[in-house]
Amino acid sequence: MQIMPVRIAIERRFPQDSEQIAAMRERLIEICQNYLDSGLGDGNAEQRLCSPDDFTYYQQLSEVLLAHLLTAAGIDFTHQAIGPDFCIDHNGRRIWIEVIAPIPANIPAAWLADTDGVRDFPHEAILLRWTAAIKQKAEVLLGNPPGANGYVANGVVGPHDCYVIAINGRLLRGSGGALQALIGISQFPFAVEATFAVGPLQVRINRETFEASEPEHQQRYLIHKPVGQPVPADTFLDLRFAPISAIWAVDIDEFAVMDRPVKMVVVHNPNAINPLPVGLLPAQDEYVASVIDAQTYRLDRVEGRTPAPWFR
């Protein structure tokens, strides 16, 4: 089957003639073509960018846009023939970044559709997509079963390398893409909820005095699915996942090329064998946990590196 050039594919995807769409379309074509010409994608990158399937397209586009974020932030990186999507050489240590854009499986159509009047926030269904994405990319690193056929077992990711899972929540947005895709019911990012067992806010009522406690977050170690076994939501509290250094969570699409702000957070693994340096990746906020004891940790939000006009 003949592959359509990127220009034709993107023009078909965005046929509108408004000045804003036309400007975005031209800039997007330029960025995608630069990505392909630089050899930063796999051999099928052009085919995936030209795919009419939204899920295939957004998975590949996520790699393109995150590559451009890194370049615009002045971070040098390469793409290896075998291994995660990007490799950064930072002070003699390799930092691997593996990108995924979760598909909206089992997300209510009313949330995803471009309609007015959405009342329900399907936070657990969305969180399950985040946990599934983390699980999928953890298995790419560690193997399934553990120790077999993963990047670690094959020697692609070395014992002193960092490994970062970059998750683009674009496809999980509500109301046709108008509602954000990063912050969960706890008011923390989904990436925090999925890795630190952080649940919704709650208050405790004294049955005798009826006095309410100060609001606090539930500890939610498991997320129940409509069918099947509950899913763990404590990845960074589980030492089996110590080879994962951090989650880089973003919500980015084509319109970021027109200087639309890109929301980005980095969530660090306090048990990481090879910690990711704080402030390295583009992000407004970073979440850093300090382990107090075997049962307790403290999660702090710190300001990320100053956001730059990524797509100038």
Side-chain angles (χ1 to χ4, degrees):
M1 181 180 69
Q2 184 177 6
I3 300 173
M4 294 185 298
V6 168
R7 170 170 290 278
I8 296 175
I10 292 178
E11 287 177 346
R12 289 185 178 181
R13 185 172 282 274
F14 297 99
Q16 300 90 335
D17 291 328
S18 72
E19 182 177 346
Q20 182 184 28
I21 296 295
M24 179 278 290
R25 187 172 57 222
E26 287 303 311
R27 185 67 174 124
L28 181 63
I29 291 169
E30 178 186 1
I31 288 171
C32 289
Q33 197 60 57
N34 287 342
Y35 172 88
L36 296 172
D37 293 344
S38 299
L40 294 175
D42 292 329
N44 63 348
E46 183 175 38
Q47 179 182 4
R48 291 166 63 81
L49 283 173
C50 294
S51 174
D53 176 71
D54 282 349
F55 303 150
T56 301
Y57 163 75
Y58 271 111
Q59 176 61 49
Q60 187 60 60
L61 183 69
S62 297
E63 296 177 23
V64 172
L65 296 179
L66 290 184
H68 199 80
L69 283 178
L70 293 172
T71 300
I75 300 173
D76 294 328
F77 63 96
T78 59
H79 172 75
Q80 306 296 319
I82 299 176
D85 297 302
F86 309 125
C87 183
I88 300 169
D89 188 348
H90 179 73
N91 294 334
R93 171 179 285 179
R94 293 188 301 180
I95 299 171
W96 297 95
I97 300 176
E98 181 77 350
V99 181
I100 185 170
I103 64 173
N106 299 318
I107 304 295
W111 170 259
L112 299 170
D114 189 8
T115 58
D116 296 328
V118 175
R119 295 290 183 267
D120 182 40
F121 177 32
H123 57 93
E124 288 194 347
I126 296 173
L127 181 56
L128 285 169
R129 303 315 303 151
W130 282 83
T131 58
I134 293 170
K135 179 178 183 292
Q136 178 179 336
K137 292 308 181 180
E139 291 180 351
V140 170
L141 175 69
L142 303 174
N144 185 15
N149 301 320
Y151 286 144
V152 171
N154 293 336
V156 174
V157 175
H160 303 294
D161 296 350
C162 294
Y163 182 81
V164 177
I165 302 174
I167 303 177
N168 180 13
R170 166 62 183 88
L171 292 172
L172 307 179
R173 287 186 195 163
S175 291
L179 300 180
Q180 62 82 29
L182 288 189
I183 306 302
I185 193 67
S186 67
Q187 303 305 304
F188 280 99
F190 282 111
V192 169
E193 294 185 356
T195 54
F196 284 106
V198 176
L201 283 167
Q202 66 180 5
V203 293
R204 300 180 186 273
I205 306 296
N206 187 304
R207 293 185 179 182
E208 296 180 358
T209 66
F210 298 103
E211 292 181 350
S213 69
E214 291 295 321
E216 61 183 8
H217 285 95
Q218 296 177 12
Q219 292 181 312
R220 181 172 55 181
Y221 290 92
L222 295 172
I223 310 163
H224 293 276
K225 299 192 300 182
V227 179
Q229 295 296 315
V231 175
D234 60 349
T235 304
F236 285 173
L237 305 179
D238 188 334
L239 293 179
R240 292 177 300 171
F241 299 100
I244 301 174
S245 304
I247 306 295
W248 184 20
V250 305
D251 182 357
I252 190 170
D253 64 14
E254 301 90 346
F255 290 93
V257 305
M258 302 304 293
D259 289 335
R260 176 183 291 181
V262 178
K263 182 62 179 175
M264 301 171 284
V265 300
V266 175
V267 182
H268 296 264
N269 185 353
N271 294 307
I273 297 172
N274 301 299
L276 176 76
V278 175
L280 176 67
L281 295 177
Q284 290 86 20
D285 299 320
E286 303 201 31
Y287 291 84
V288 180
S290 302
V291 178
I292 306 301
D293 55 45
Q295 301 297 322
T296 311
Y297 65 90
R298 187 185 73 193
L299 186 62
D300 294 313
R301 182 182 64 82
V302 300
E303 186 175 341
R305 60 187 295 166
T306 304
W310 307 118
F311 294 94
R312 292 196 187 281

